[in-house]
Amino acid sequence: MESEDKVCGLCRLQIAKYTCPRCMVPYCALSCYRGEAHAGCSEDFYKQEFMENLNTRATSDEKRKMASMLKAFEEEQAAEAEEVDDIEGEYSLEERLQGLDLDNSDDLDTVWERLTEQEKSKFKELISGKDLSPYIEVWHPWWCQDNNCGACVCSSEENVHLPTSAVKPGPTPEIHLKDVPDIKTLLRGKEPAKEMVNNLVNVLFAYAYVLRRFNGEILAQDVVQDCISFFETTSGVLGQAVIYDSVSLAISSAVVQVETVSKLRMGDNITTEIVLDVTCILDNVEFVQIALGHTYKMFKKGKRKDVARKLWFYLSWWTSIKDQTNMWDTVKEQVRMEFVALKDKFKEHEVAQDKFEASRKTLIQEMD
C-alpha cells in the first residue's frame, strides 16, 4: 500500500488523500485545496457552487444566511465608500445593487456580476471557512451549559465555544417521549451488539454538525429535508447502515465526510469543535437522550419512518445502559483523544502549509 501513496501535488509535503474532481491534482487537506497554489481551479468551483446552492435551494436555511451575509457585506462596503473620495466614473456598490432583491434567487447572478474583482475576492473570503460571526448571528449549542462544559475538555483555554456570561446557549429542545420500550423486548432476549456504542458516537457527531450548520433549527418545515440530507451524508450509521468497530473509526469517518464532501464543508476549526461537542453531550446522560430524541423527531417529521425506527431502537438501548458510568467514561476519553489527535493534525498541516508558502514566495522573489 505504501508504494501507492502519492505526495500532495500542491504542498509537496504530505501524503495526498484526495483528488480534485476538476483538475485531478492529488491533495492532502482542504487548506491545500483552498490555497494559493490551487486558486485558479478552486475559485471557479467555489463561485459555481455558491451560486448553484443559492439558486437551487431558495427556501433553505443556508440560502437565507448567504443572502443576509451579502446584505451585511453591501452595508459594510457602503460604509467604507463613505470614508474615501469618490472615484470619477465609478458607481458605489449601493448604486450598482439598486433595484435588486437579495432575497430573490433570480437576482443573485446579477448581483455577482456587478461586484468588482476586489469585492468578489473579499466576499469569497467570507464564505471560505473564515469567521462569519460579524455577519451571521451565531447560535450557541444548548449542550454547552456552564455546569457541563466546566467538567470536560471544553473548558480548556484553547476552546472557543465555551459560553461566557455574555453568551447564553440556545434553548434545550423539549423532547417528550412516551412508552420507550425496554431493549430486551425489542431484541426478544438477545444482547445488543457491542458496536452500538461506537455507532452512537457517530450519530452524535452528525447531530452536533447539523445543529451547528442550521443554527439549531432542524425541525422547521422549510429546512427539515435539508437537515436530513446533511445528517445522512455525515453519519455512516444512519446514511449507509455502517457498523463501526471503534470510537476512532466512528469519529474519523464523519470527519472525512465533512472535510471532503463539498456541501458539508465548514472549516477545520469547526470540525474539531464538533468533536468537542460530542464530549459535552456524553458528559450528561440526559443530553444524550435529548440528542437522540431530537434527531428522532426530525426524521419523523421528515417522514423517514425507516430511520426514525432505528433511532427509536437506539433510544431504547440507551435507556437500558445509560447508568454504566465506567463504560461511558471510557468512551468519553476515547473521543477526547480523537479531538487531540485531530487538532494536532490540523496544526501540523497549517505549519507545513505556512512553510511551503514562505519558501514559494522566497523562490519567486529570487527569480524576479
Side-chain angles (χ1 to χ4, degrees):
M1 290 293 294
E2 293 183 0
S3 62
E4 298 178 2
D5 287 343
K6 296 181 180 179
V7 174
C8 174
L10 301 173
C11 71
R12 303 287 182 182
L13 297 171
Q14 305 289 337
I15 298 299
K17 298 180 180 179
Y18 321 110
T19 301
C20 173
R22 292 171 66 88
C23 66
M24 302 307 290
V25 65
Y27 65 98
C28 59
L30 283 177
S31 52
C32 271
Y33 182 88
R34 296 170 176 169
E36 187 177 344
H38 193 238
C41 177
S42 62
E43 183 169 356
D44 289 341
F45 173 76
Y46 282 128
K47 182 208 167 182
Q48 178 183 346
E49 181 186 62
F50 171 65
M51 299 308 298
E52 285 179 355
N53 280 342
L54 289 177
N55 284 314
T56 60
R57 295 160 57 93
T59 62
S60 74
D61 183 67
E62 184 178 43
K63 186 264 178 183
R64 291 199 304 269
K65 289 179 185 177
M66 287 298 184
S68 67
M69 283 170 54
L70 190 53
K71 286 180 180 178
F73 177 72
E74 175 189 359
E75 293 170 358
E76 179 184 292
Q77 292 295 302
E80 290 180 359
E82 292 177 357
E83 299 177 358
V84 298
D85 294 332
D86 292 334
I87 300 176
E88 185 177 358
E90 290 190 0
Y91 293 98
S92 69
L93 180 63
E94 183 178 5
E95 291 173 319
R96 280 178 276 133
L97 299 185
Q98 188 173 3
L100 297 178
D101 182 2
L102 299 183
D103 289 323
N104 184 347
S105 60
D106 293 335
D107 283 349
L108 292 174
D109 278 318
T110 305
V111 169
W112 182 264
E113 295 304 322
R114 292 188 185 181
L115 298 179
T116 66
E117 291 304 317
Q118 182 179 3
E119 290 164 348
K120 289 178 182 179
S121 177
K122 187 169 184 179
F123 189 68
K124 179 174 173 289
E125 289 181 6
L126 293 177
I127 63 171
S128 64
K130 298 186 181 298
D131 182 18
L132 304 181
S133 56
Y135 305 91
I136 298 178
E137 182 179 356
V138 177
W139 172 81
H140 298 277
W142 59 261
W143 52 82
C144 286
Q145 310 289 339
D146 287 341
N147 61 345
N148 178 57
C149 282
C152 72
V153 71
C154 297
S155 61
S156 66
E157 293 181 359
E158 294 182 358
N159 180 44
V160 297
H161 89 255
L162 179 63
T164 66
S165 57
V167 179
K168 295 182 179 180
T172 302
E174 296 184 3
I175 307 298
H176 303 291
L177 300 173
K178 297 181 179 179
D179 303 323
V180 178
D182 187 284
I183 190 65
K184 294 180 181 179
T185 303
L186 296 178
L187 292 176
R188 298 179 182 179
K190 296 181 181 179
E191 291 295 322
K194 65 181 186 303
E195 290 85 2
M196 288 191 67
V197 175
N198 309 323
N199 286 5
L200 173 67
V201 170
N202 180 264
V203 172
L204 292 180
F205 182 101
Y207 173 75
Y209 168 83
V210 171
L211 260 72
R212 284 191 176 275
R213 181 84 193 200
F214 290 87
N215 268 17
E217 300 177 6
I218 67 172
L219 298 182
Q221 190 62 47
D222 61 337
V223 300
V224 67
Q225 294 301 333
D226 286 337
C227 291
I228 288 174
S229 173
F230 276 70
F231 205 113
E232 291 186 313
T233 305
T234 306
S235 172
V237 173
L238 298 187
Q240 297 88 37
V242 176
I243 298 175
Y244 294 104
D245 293 330
S246 67
V247 168
S248 178
L249 284 175
I251 290 288
S252 61
S253 171
V255 168
V256 167
Q257 288 297 98
V258 300
E259 280 194 297
T260 59
V261 177
S262 60
K263 75 173 185 177
L264 299 182
R265 285 193 301 260
M266 290 182 71
D268 293 349
N269 290 337
I270 297 296
T271 302
T272 53
E273 200 166 331
I274 291 169
V275 180
L276 286 179
D277 289 333
V278 176
T279 67
C280 282
I281 296 173
L282 287 170
D283 262 331
N284 188 312
V285 293
E286 299 302 324
F287 284 5
V288 177
Q289 184 168 341
I290 291 170
L292 288 174
H294 201 191
T295 307
Y296 168 79
K297 289 182 69 174
M298 179 188 71
F299 278 96
K300 189 175 181 181
K301 186 168 185 176
K303 298 182 179 180
R304 289 295 308 278
K305 295 181 179 179
D306 55 333
V307 181
R309 281 196 297 268
K310 182 181 290 189
L311 287 161
W312 190 249
F313 181 85
Y314 272 84
L315 278 163
S316 175
W317 165 77
W318 170 254
T319 302
S320 69
I321 52 84
K322 65 181 181 180
D323 295 327
Q324 298 182 22
T325 55
N326 290 338
M327 179 182 71
W328 293 115
D329 286 344
T330 300
V331 173
K332 285 184 288 186
E333 184 58 32
Q334 290 173 340
V335 175
R336 289 187 178 105
M337 290 171 63
E338 289 302 311
F339 158 71
V340 173
L342 187 63
K343 185 178 68 171
D344 289 346
K345 170 189 170 185
F346 287 149
K347 184 64 178 177
E348 287 175 4
H349 187 270
E350 183 181 344
V351 171
Q353 183 68 20
D354 289 343
K355 289 182 179 178
F356 167 72
E357 292 296 339
S359 63
R360 184 172 179 273
K361 289 178 182 179
T362 301
L363 179 60
I364 291 175
Q365 290 173 354
E366 291 176 351
M367 292 177 66
D368 292 341

